[in-house]
Amino acid sequence: MPDLPVRELECLLVLAEELHFGRTAERLRVSQSRVSQLVAALERTIGTQLVHRTSRRVALTDFGADFVERVRPVYTELTDLVGGARREARQELPGPIRVGFQGIAYETVTWTLTRFARDNPDVTLSLQEIPLGDPFGAVLSGRVDAAVALLPVREPELSVGYVFPPAPRMLAVGHSHPLASVERIDAETLASVDLVSIDGPAPEYWRDVHFPRFTPLGRSITATVRVATLQEGMTLAATGRYAMLTCRPVAERNQRADLRFVHVTGFDEESRMALIWRSAHRRPHLTKLAALLGELPGAAPLRAAPGRATVA
């Protein structure tokens, strides 16, 4: 069996994030020339160019980008496995459970985390906000162990451990907006508004649900602005020029004098959030956390088969 170029793979994965030889060298604590050597060695091993290098910029080749996308989850799983084995061998305490969340960590989440921490005093919990426009990236890359994110999720590497109760769709508008005086609208009315969209690498199937380009009957929806965070979207909606599609829990927690929330009907499904994790890295404590969430009224745990997260 040929030697696995672990150091070279690590170097490529860091370079793919930084796209800068100097910053990559700093993270790996090596020289820039060593970074170049490692990348060149990996290219020789594979037999093709992985990185475009010029005096001004660094970019992955098409082959390199595809290779990184396939290698990253395998490399992360391998390093996690080795780290877990080392802890077990040394009888160390388990590492922190890192949970990401989109926008707002609701009371149901924070209360459950508080109970989990009380029942598992040997485990440290860490909460991190994840980008609104990248619901699954932090989980797939291993930056968090699990995430509370909006469904649907159809990534083959992810599983769903718990589904929160469905929530009605709401449209956030400013008090001067033409729709501010109505209680509810049909989804077809979205063709008459300028709907806030998002920046980020969210999958198209996910984006089409939460930041749709068309109404259910196929009418085009205008979207001239993009935001990175929920609060940016709410601020734009408050101006009265734009509208942001969201859900009732967000509306209830963002009551302010310059915003109105209008109930939107006509979609096939209501908004839902779920606790998701990597199928190949379901730590026992995550299962415990999902079980605690499952004790909340109104919903039950839902476990997808490993490698087949297809919850719509």
Side-chain angles (χ1 to χ4, degrees):
M1 179 177 178
D3 292 336
L4 185 66
V6 176
R7 188 60 168 165
E8 289 88 342
L9 289 171
E10 179 188 24
C11 182
L12 178 66
L13 293 176
V14 174
L15 183 62
E17 294 178 0
E18 298 292 347
L19 295 179
H20 190 279
F21 277 86
R23 290 193 296 269
T24 300
E26 290 177 5
R27 283 181 56 179
L28 296 177
R29 298 182 180 180
V30 298
S31 65
Q32 291 190 43
S33 60
R34 181 57 178 159
V35 172
S36 297
Q37 292 169 3
L38 290 169
V39 172
L42 184 59
E43 289 177 328
R44 288 193 299 271
T45 298
I46 293 175
T48 190
Q49 186 177 4
L50 301 173
V51 178
H52 288 303
R53 310 163 179 82
T54 69
S55 59
R56 294 186 177 181
R57 62 189 296 268
V58 177
L60 297 176
T61 64
D62 290 343
F63 187 97
D66 179 68
F67 180 70
V68 165
E69 183 178 354
R70 287 181 291 148
V71 164
R72 188 180 299 281
V74 178
Y75 179 86
T76 301
E77 181 183 350
L78 179 61
T79 55
D80 288 343
L81 179 63
V82 172
R86 291 179 63 184
R87 285 194 300 270
E88 291 177 9
R90 298 177 182 179
Q91 296 183 338
E92 294 178 355
L93 292 176
I97 301 294
R98 302 160 299 171
V99 180
F101 62 93
Q102 280 187 295
I104 301 174
Y106 300 138
E107 292 91 338
T108 52
V109 176
T110 56
W111 289 338
T112 302
L113 293 176
T114 299
R115 180 180 171 188
F116 177 89
R118 185 188 65 230
D119 295 345
N120 301 273
D122 60 328
V123 179
T124 301
L125 281 172
S126 171
L127 274 180
Q128 303 176 29
E129 185 174 0
I130 57 179
L132 187 62
D134 189 12
F136 313 127
V139 185
L140 289 170
S141 68
R143 295 194 301 274
V144 298
D145 300 297
V148 177
L150 285 163
L151 293 175
V153 52
R154 299 171 188 162
E155 309 306 303
E157 303 94 337
L158 299 180
S159 292
V160 176
Y162 173 81
V163 176
F164 289 81
R169 298 290 191 90
M170 306 291 287
L171 188 71
V173 296
H175 271 271
S176 62
H177 194 278
L179 296 178
S181 60
V182 301
E183 293 296 325
R184 67 180 58 231
I185 60 171
D186 184 79
E188 294 304 312
T189 307
L190 296 179
S192 66
V193 306
D194 193 342
L195 198 65
V196 172
S197 188
I198 53 163
D199 281 321
E204 285 298 321
Y205 69 82
W206 186 93
R207 189 185 296 267
D208 288 343
V209 170
H210 300 288
F211 300 90
R213 296 168 296 173
F214 302 96
T215 69
L217 294 181
R219 300 173 65 193
S220 180
I221 299 175
T222 300
T224 63
V225 294
R226 291 176 176 267
V227 300
T229 69
L230 176 65
Q231 292 307 318
E232 286 180 15
M234 292 295 165
T235 301
L236 282 174
T239 67
R241 181 175 178 180
Y242 308 99
M244 185 170 186
L245 191 62
T246 183
C247 61
R248 178 171 290 170
V250 171
E252 292 172 345
R253 291 160 178 82
N254 283 274
Q255 294 295 320
R256 42 193 277 186
D258 54 356
L259 275 179
R260 281 270 295 155
F261 291 92
V262 182
H263 188 191
V264 182
T265 62
F267 286 108
D268 290 339
E269 294 188 16
E270 295 181 310
S271 178
R272 292 186 298 165
M273 300 195 79
L275 178 70
I276 62 174
W277 52 61
R278 281 174 290 155
S279 306
H281 188 61
R282 186 178 68 182
R283 299 170 63 176
H285 285 104
L286 290 179
T287 306
K288 292 181 181 179
L289 180 60
L292 288 178
L293 288 169
E295 295 178 7
L296 296 171
L302 185 156
R303 292 182 177 84
R308 294 184 59 82
T310 57
V311 180

